[in-house]
Amino acid sequence: MKIIISPAKKMNTDTDTFQICDLPEFMADTKTLMSKIRSLSLEDAKALWKCNDKLAELNYKRFQDMDLERVLTPAIMAYEGLQYQHMAPRVFTEDALSYVKEHLRILSGFYGLLRPFDGVTPYRLEMQAKLPAGKCKDLYEFWGDRLYKGLLDDDRTIVNLASKEYSRCIETYIGQKDRWITIEFGELADGKVRQKGTLAKMARGEMVRFLAENRIGDTDRIKEFTGLGFTYSRDLSDNGKYVFVKEA
């Protein structure tokens, strides 16, 4: 079983908490994208990133000074978003760390597919960014089916905790022999389920921690999750979608 999650925009450098185990698998492709972004003007880079002047200047300098093989942070510690805060890998037991090392993968527009202890450097590049690379019009075309192929293991089960922007680069290639389970979180109000981005990010992080701490290998046990007051809804779920709800 593999579990996929999205990255976060905000990143940090932490070379002390955990050691890196390896470099990312698709490093040659990452170098291609780095060179492409370095060739952009500041204004073009800002338009690509769709951010304010301060963030554009920060990330433009990051790319100009970037070294992909020095002063690296394990991917699981590099991202600072709500999902990662609620995952809280810093307090994982050795067993939980071993679990995520085997089962968890982070999707990235820049690095492609990351194992938790692959060494990364801060960057800004969302999967949906309109960055032409070679003959490819965008990053979805650039990565193609390689991330899907790199993700598969023997039982071909993928638990999707990623946003639609990122899960798209895997789901497009799912075949009949694969088992694809998307986890959704929503608030129940007046008989309707409403999904809220902030709450979903928090719940995804809590779910990863639950899976890791309990070393979940049987997908039916995912339904036992009760973090943040969520409970599994049998009525709203099916074999390809597990829906967790809480009262608004």
Side-chain angles (χ1 to χ4, degrees):
M1 179 173 79
K2 288 294 187 290
I3 304 154
I4 57 171
I5 60 175
S6 306
K9 291 179 183 177
K10 190 176 180 182
M11 298 185 69
N12 73 92
T13 299
D14 179 351
T15 60
D16 298 324
T17 304
F18 299 122
Q19 290 186 335
I20 66 169
C21 291
D22 212 337
L23 293 176
E25 179 181 358
F26 297 100
M27 184 63 80
D29 300 288
T30 299
K31 289 179 179 178
T32 296
L33 295 175
M34 179 180 70
S35 296
K36 176 66 178 180
I37 294 171
R38 279 179 169 174
S39 71
L40 300 176
S41 67
L42 175 58
E43 285 304 310
D44 286 342
K46 180 185 173 183
L48 175 73
W49 295 324
K50 296 180 179 178
C51 62
N52 60 37
D53 289 344
K54 184 177 180 180
L55 283 173
E57 290 169 4
L58 169 66
N59 286 285
Y60 193 76
K61 187 176 189 307
R62 277 177 171 172
F63 272 97
Q64 299 304 319
D65 299 339
M66 187 171 284
D67 188 330
L68 296 173
E69 298 182 10
R70 292 182 64 255
V71 194
L72 304 179
T73 301
I76 199 170
M77 298 300 297
Y79 299 103
E80 287 192 340
L82 279 173
Q83 177 178 223
Y84 292 84
Q85 293 172 30
H86 281 259
M87 189 194 312
R90 190 181 299 273
V91 298
F92 276 7
T93 63
E94 287 298 324
D95 283 347
L97 290 171
S98 177
Y99 179 92
V100 294
K101 185 176 180 181
E102 179 180 356
H103 295 284
L104 185 67
R105 298 294 181 265
I106 302 167
L107 300 172
S108 164
F110 187 51
Y111 284 103
L113 188 66
L114 290 167
R115 295 159 296 202
F117 299 99
D118 284 348
V120 301
T121 193
Y123 68 91
R124 187 182 181 97
L125 187 64
E126 296 179 64
M127 188 66 78
Q128 63 187 358
K130 300 297 184 183
L131 178 69
K135 296 180 180 179
C136 302
K137 66 180 183 298
D138 58 23
L139 293 174
Y140 293 110
E141 187 177 342
F142 177 80
W143 290 115
D145 65 355
R146 290 178 295 149
L147 308 188
Y148 160 76
K149 289 179 177 178
L151 185 66
L152 287 183
D153 57 16
D154 291 339
D155 82 351
R156 306 180 76 98
T157 298
I158 300 171
V159 176
N160 173 30
L161 283 166
S163 65
K164 290 182 179 178
E165 171 192 349
Y166 284 92
S167 62
R168 172 183 161 187
C169 65
I170 304 296
E171 188 173 11
T172 299
Y173 304 100
I174 292 295
Q176 292 183 345
K177 294 182 179 180
D178 304 323
R179 186 171 185 205
W180 173 262
I181 303 172
T182 293
I183 310 293
E184 293 184 359
F185 300 96
E187 285 189 333
L188 194 60
D190 301 323
K192 295 182 179 180
V193 178
R194 294 182 173 86
Q195 295 186 48
K196 295 183 177 180
T198 297
L199 189 59
K201 290 175 183 177
M202 295 163 60
R204 288 167 182 157
E206 296 274 346
M207 175 63 86
V208 173
R209 183 153 50 85
F210 165 78
L211 296 173
E213 289 177 345
N214 294 281
R215 299 185 62 81
I216 301 297
D218 178 354
T219 54
D220 277 343
R221 289 201 58 204
I222 296 173
K223 301 171 186 177
E224 298 172 9
F225 174 77
T226 56
L228 298 179
F230 282 98
T231 56
Y232 174 75
S233 171
R234 182 178 298 176
D235 293 339
L236 296 172
S237 303
D238 56 39
N239 287 336
K241 182 172 68 174
Y242 290 1
V243 179
F244 292 81
V245 296
K246 65 180 297 183
E247 294 294 333

